[in-house]
C-alpha cells in the first residue's frame, strides 16, 4: 500500500548515499519522486554525516514507501 507523503509528515527513511543507517525525518518539501527532509533522529554512528548535511537530506519516495510513519 502506498502512502501519500505531505509536508510536515514524519517518515522513517532508509540508509542512502549520505546516511549509513536508517533515520527519522520530517518532510519540508515534496517533489514528484523525492522529498526534502530534516533529519530529526538518527543512529549515533551517523552523527558526523548528519552534521555535514546540516541535518537535511533528499530521499527517494519509492525506496521509502514501505516504511512511512513512525
Amino acid at each position: 500500500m502506498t502512502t501519500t507523503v505531505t509536508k510536515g509528515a514524519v517518515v522513517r527513511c532508509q540508509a542512502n548515499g549520505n546516511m549509513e543507517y536508517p533515520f527519522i525525518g520530517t518532510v519540508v518539501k515534496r517533489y514528484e519522486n523525492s522529498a526534502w527532509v530534516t533529519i530529526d533522529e538518527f543512529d549515533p554512528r551517523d552523527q558526523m554525516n548528519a552534521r555535514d548535511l546540516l541535518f537535511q537530506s533528499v530521499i527517494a519516495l519509492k525506496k521509502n514507501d514501505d516504511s512511512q510513519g513512525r
Side-chain angles (χ1 to χ4, degrees), residues 6-7 13 41 49 51-52 55 57 61:
T6 59
K7 182 178 178 180
C13 306
E41 298 176 33
N49 293 335
R51 191 176 331 169
D52 287 347
F55 300 94
S57 185
L61 293 178

Side-chain angles (χ1 to χ4, degrees), residues 1-66:
M1 179 166 145
T2 302
T3 305
T4 302
V5 176
T6 59
K7 182 178 178 180
V10 176
V11 293
R12 185 175 307 129
C13 306
Q14 296 178 0
N16 57 31
N18 299 313
M19 298 291 283
E20 295 179 32
Y21 302 94
F23 60 96
I24 304 287
T26 303
V27 176
V28 174
K29 185 169 184 172
R30 184 172 192 286
Y31 301 100
E32 188 172 332
N33 296 311
S34 60
W36 167 23
V37 299
T38 57
I39 301 170
D40 302 326
E41 298 176 33
F42 53 88
D43 188 289
R45 295 171 286 187
D46 260 339
Q47 174 70 37
M48 291 297 291
N49 293 335
R51 191 176 331 169
D52 287 347
L53 294 167
L54 303 175
F55 300 94
Q56 301 176 59
S57 185
V58 174
I59 60 167
L61 293 178
K62 183 147 176 90
K63 280 185 164 181
N64 290 283
D65 275 347
D66 295 333

